[in-house]
Amino acid sequence: QVQLVESGGGLVQPGGSLRLSCAASGFTLDRFIIGWYLQAPGKGREGVACISSSTGDITYYSDSVKGRFTISRDNAKNTVYLQMNSLKPEDTGTYYCAPGAGTSVENMCIYTPSGSWGQGTQVTVSS
């Protein structure tokens, strides 16, 4: 079965950190651009961080997370990570990952992909 599974979410206080994981099964992740998307309560999904295929040497971050979040990939583990530091209440929501190809890393984040999504992982930043 081809799927991406997100994990690592939880409840954290403002200023805290979390590391999200996006693990692939049924296909090899290294040939795809991967994006992380946030769906905040009552809003649509928006790209927060994206990483190029293969070596992952190109990354893109939305202005809201730049300098606080870091996206990385471990192709040996078929997994992409999102390290989230200095978390803010506005980072609250469900985080999803999605694969892409045939586009730029920046466009992968700016234009949220259509299609099916996994179950996501919930992040709540609250004191």
Side-chain angles (χ1 to χ4, degrees), residues 21-50:
S21 297
C22 169
S25 62
F27 71 105
T28 303
L29 207 56
D30 65 352
R31 62 184 63 185
F32 294 96
I33 300 170
I34 301 297
W36 279 101
Y37 301 85
L38 164 63
Q39 185 163 21
K43 297 185 178 180
R45 288 188 185 95
E46 296 183 345
V48 297
C50 295

Short mmCIF file of all heavy atoms in Angstrom, two decimals, residues 21-50:
data_model
loop_
_atom_site.label_atom_id
_atom_site.label_comp_id
_atom_site.label_asym_id
_atom_site.label_seq_id
_atom_site.Cartn_x
_atom_site.Cartn_y
_atom_site.Cartn_z
N SER A 21 7.56 13.59 11.87
CA SER A 21 8.10 12.64 10.90
C SER A 21 7.06 12.34 9.84
O SER A 21 5.86 12.26 10.13
CB SER A 21 8.50 11.33 11.59
OG SER A 21 9.52 11.53 12.53
N CYS A 22 7.54 12.16 8.63
CA CYS A 22 6.70 11.77 7.49
C CYS A 22 7.35 10.53 6.90
O CYS A 22 8.38 10.62 6.23
CB CYS A 22 6.66 12.91 6.49
SG CYS A 22 5.92 12.51 4.89
N ALA A 23 6.76 9.39 7.18
CA ALA A 23 7.34 8.11 6.76
C ALA A 23 6.57 7.54 5.58
O ALA A 23 5.33 7.51 5.59
CB ALA A 23 7.34 7.12 7.92
N ALA A 24 7.30 7.07 4.59
CA ALA A 24 6.67 6.51 3.39
C ALA A 24 6.68 4.99 3.44
O ALA A 24 7.63 4.38 3.93
CB ALA A 24 7.40 6.98 2.14
N SER A 25 5.62 4.42 2.93
CA SER A 25 5.58 2.98 2.74
C SER A 25 5.01 2.67 1.37
O SER A 25 4.15 3.39 0.87
CB SER A 25 4.74 2.30 3.83
OG SER A 25 3.40 2.75 3.77
N GLY A 26 5.54 1.64 0.74
CA GLY A 26 5.05 1.25 -0.58
C GLY A 26 5.70 2.00 -1.73
O GLY A 26 5.40 1.69 -2.89
N PHE A 27 6.54 2.97 -1.45
CA PHE A 27 7.26 3.66 -2.51
C PHE A 27 8.51 4.32 -1.93
O PHE A 27 8.64 4.47 -0.72
CB PHE A 27 6.38 4.70 -3.22
CG PHE A 27 6.05 5.92 -2.40
CD1 PHE A 27 6.68 7.13 -2.66
CD2 PHE A 27 5.10 5.87 -1.40
CE1 PHE A 27 6.37 8.27 -1.93
CE2 PHE A 27 4.79 7.00 -0.65
CZ PHE A 27 5.43 8.19 -0.92
N THR A 28 9.42 4.70 -2.83
CA THR A 28 10.67 5.31 -2.41
C THR A 28 10.52 6.82 -2.42
O THR A 28 10.18 7.43 -3.42
CB THR A 28 11.81 4.90 -3.36
OG1 THR A 28 11.91 3.47 -3.38
CG2 THR A 28 13.14 5.48 -2.89
N LEU A 29 10.82 7.41 -1.26
CA LEU A 29 10.57 8.83 -1.07
C LEU A 29 11.62 9.71 -1.75
O LEU A 29 11.33 10.87 -2.07
CB LEU A 29 10.56 9.11 0.44
CG LEU A 29 9.76 10.28 0.98
CD1 LEU A 29 8.32 10.20 0.56
CD2 LEU A 29 9.89 10.34 2.49
N ASP A 30 12.82 9.20 -1.99
CA ASP A 30 13.91 10.09 -2.36
C ASP A 30 13.73 10.73 -3.73
O ASP A 30 14.35 11.75 -4.02
CB ASP A 30 15.26 9.37 -2.27
CG ASP A 30 15.39 8.22 -3.26
OD1 ASP A 30 14.39 7.89 -3.92
OD2 ASP A 30 16.49 7.66 -3.37
N ARG A 31 12.88 10.21 -4.57
CA ARG A 31 12.71 10.80 -5.89
C ARG A 31 11.66 11.92 -5.92
O ARG A 31 11.38 12.48 -6.98
CB ARG A 31 12.34 9.73 -6.91
CG ARG A 31 11.06 9.02 -6.65
CD ARG A 31 10.82 7.92 -7.66
NE ARG A 31 11.83 6.87 -7.60
CZ ARG A 31 11.90 5.85 -8.44
NH1 ARG A 31 11.02 5.75 -9.42
NH2 ARG A 31 12.84 4.94 -8.33
N PHE A 32 11.08 12.22 -4.76
CA PHE A 32 10.01 13.21 -4.69
C PHE A 32 10.40 14.45 -3.88
O PHE A 32 11.11 14.35 -2.88
CB PHE A 32 8.76 12.60 -4.06
CG PHE A 32 8.13 11.52 -4.89
CD1 PHE A 32 8.43 10.19 -4.64
CD2 PHE A 32 7.26 11.84 -5.91
CE1 PHE A 32 7.87 9.19 -5.41
CE2 PHE A 32 6.68 10.84 -6.68
CZ PHE A 32 6.99 9.51 -6.43
N ILE A 33 9.90 15.60 -4.32
CA ILE A 33 9.85 16.77 -3.46
C ILE A 33 8.83 16.46 -2.37
O ILE A 33 7.79 15.84 -2.63
CB ILE A 33 9.39 18.01 -4.25
CG1 ILE A 33 10.34 18.30 -5.41
CG2 ILE A 33 9.26 19.22 -3.33
CD1 ILE A 33 9.81 19.36 -6.36
N ILE A 34 9.11 16.88 -1.15
CA ILE A 34 8.18 16.65 -0.04
C ILE A 34 7.85 17.99 0.60
O ILE A 34 8.73 18.82 0.84
CB ILE A 34 8.77 15.71 1.02
CG1 ILE A 34 9.12 14.35 0.40
CG2 ILE A 34 7.79 15.54 2.18
CD1 ILE A 34 7.92 13.60 -0.14
N GLY A 35 6.57 18.17 0.86
CA GLY A 35 6.11 19.38 1.52
C GLY A 35 5.39 19.06 2.82
O GLY A 35 4.73 18.02 2.93
N TRP A 36 5.53 19.95 3.79
CA TRP A 36 4.74 19.91 5.02
C TRP A 36 3.70 21.03 4.96
O TRP A 36 4.04 22.17 4.60
CB TRP A 36 5.63 20.10 6.25
CG TRP A 36 6.35 18.88 6.71
CD1 TRP A 36 7.65 18.55 6.49
CD2 TRP A 36 5.81 17.82 7.51
NE1 TRP A 36 7.95 17.35 7.09
CE2 TRP A 36 6.83 16.89 7.73
CE3 TRP A 36 4.55 17.57 8.08
CZ2 TRP A 36 6.66 15.72 8.48
CZ3 TRP A 36 4.37 16.43 8.82
CH2 TRP A 36 5.41 15.50 9.01
N TYR A 37 2.48 20.70 5.35
CA TYR A 37 1.37 21.64 5.25
C TYR A 37 0.65 21.71 6.58
O TYR A 37 0.45 20.69 7.24
CB TYR A 37 0.41 21.20 4.14
CG TYR A 37 1.10 21.12 2.81
CD1 TYR A 37 1.78 19.96 2.45
CD2 TYR A 37 1.12 22.20 1.94
CE1 TYR A 37 2.47 19.90 1.24
CE2 TYR A 37 1.81 22.14 0.74
CZ TYR A 37 2.49 20.99 0.41
OH TYR A 37 3.17 20.93 -0.79
N LEU A 38 0.23 22.92 6.94
CA LEU A 38 -0.51 23.13 8.18
C LEU A 38 -1.95 23.48 7.85
O LEU A 38 -2.20 24.37 7.03
CB LEU A 38 0.12 24.28 8.98
CG LEU A 38 -0.72 24.89 10.10
CD1 LEU A 38 -1.02 23.85 11.18
CD2 LEU A 38 -0.04 26.10 10.69
N GLN A 39 -2.85 22.77 8.50
CA GLN A 39 -4.25 23.16 8.45
C GLN A 39 -4.63 23.65 9.84
O GLN A 39 -4.88 22.84 10.74
CB GLN A 39 -5.15 22.02 8.00
CG GLN A 39 -6.60 22.46 7.82
CD GLN A 39 -7.40 21.47 7.00
OE1 GLN A 39 -7.07 20.30 6.87
NE2 GLN A 39 -8.50 21.94 6.44
N ALA A 40 -4.66 24.96 10.00
CA ALA A 40 -5.06 25.55 11.27
C ALA A 40 -6.57 25.44 11.42
O ALA A 40 -7.29 25.30 10.42
CB ALA A 40 -4.60 27.00 11.32
N PRO A 41 -7.07 25.49 12.65
CA PRO A 41 -8.52 25.38 12.86
C PRO A 41 -9.31 26.39 12.02
O PRO A 41 -9.01 27.59 12.06
CB PRO A 41 -8.66 25.66 14.36
CG PRO A 41 -7.36 25.25 14.95
CD PRO A 41 -6.33 25.60 13.92
N GLY A 42 -10.25 25.89 11.26
CA GLY A 42 -11.10 26.75 10.45
C GLY A 42 -10.48 27.30 9.20
O GLY A 42 -11.07 28.14 8.52
N LYS A 43 -9.28 26.82 8.84
CA LYS A 43 -8.59 27.33 7.67
C LYS A 43 -8.21 26.19 6.72
O LYS A 43 -8.28 25.01 7.08
CB LYS A 43 -7.33 28.09 8.08
CG LYS A 43 -7.60 29.33 8.93
CD LYS A 43 -6.33 30.10 9.20
CE LYS A 43 -6.61 31.35 10.00
NZ LYS A 43 -5.36 32.13 10.27
N GLY A 44 -7.79 26.54 5.53
CA GLY A 44 -7.32 25.55 4.57
C GLY A 44 -5.87 25.19 4.81
O GLY A 44 -5.19 25.80 5.64
N ARG A 45 -5.40 24.19 4.09
CA ARG A 45 -4.00 23.77 4.22
C ARG A 45 -3.08 24.76 3.54
O ARG A 45 -3.33 25.20 2.42
CB ARG A 45 -3.81 22.39 3.58
CG ARG A 45 -4.41 21.26 4.35
CD ARG A 45 -4.00 19.92 3.76
NE ARG A 45 -4.68 18.82 4.44
CZ ARG A 45 -5.80 18.27 4.02
NH1 ARG A 45 -6.36 18.70 2.90
NH2 ARG A 45 -6.36 17.29 4.70
N GLU A 46 -1.98 25.07 4.24
CA GLU A 46 -0.98 25.98 3.69
C GLU A 46 0.40 25.36 3.84
O GLU A 46 0.70 24.75 4.87
CB GLU A 46 -1.01 27.33 4.40
CG GLU A 46 -2.30 28.11 4.21
CD GLU A 46 -2.27 29.47 4.87
OE1 GLU A 46 -1.37 29.70 5.70
OE2 GLU A 46 -3.14 30.29 4.55
N GLY A 47 1.23 25.53 2.82
CA GLY A 47 2.57 24.99 2.89
C GLY A 47 3.43 25.76 3.87
O GLY A 47 3.40 26.99 3.89
N VAL A 48 4.19 25.04 4.70
CA VAL A 48 5.09 25.69 5.64
C VAL A 48 6.56 25.39 5.33
O VAL A 48 7.42 26.22 5.57
CB VAL A 48 4.77 25.32 7.11
CG1 VAL A 48 3.39 25.82 7.51
CG2 VAL A 48 4.88 23.82 7.34
N ALA A 49 6.84 24.21 4.80
CA ALA A 49 8.23 23.85 4.50
C ALA A 49 8.25 22.79 3.42
O ALA A 49 7.44 21.86 3.46
CB ALA A 49 8.94 23.34 5.74
N CYS A 50 9.18 22.92 2.48
CA CYS A 50 9.31 21.96 1.40
C CYS A 50 10.78 21.68 1.14
O CYS A 50 11.63 22.55 1.37
CB CYS A 50 8.63 22.47 0.13
SG CYS A 50 6.84 22.64 0.29
#
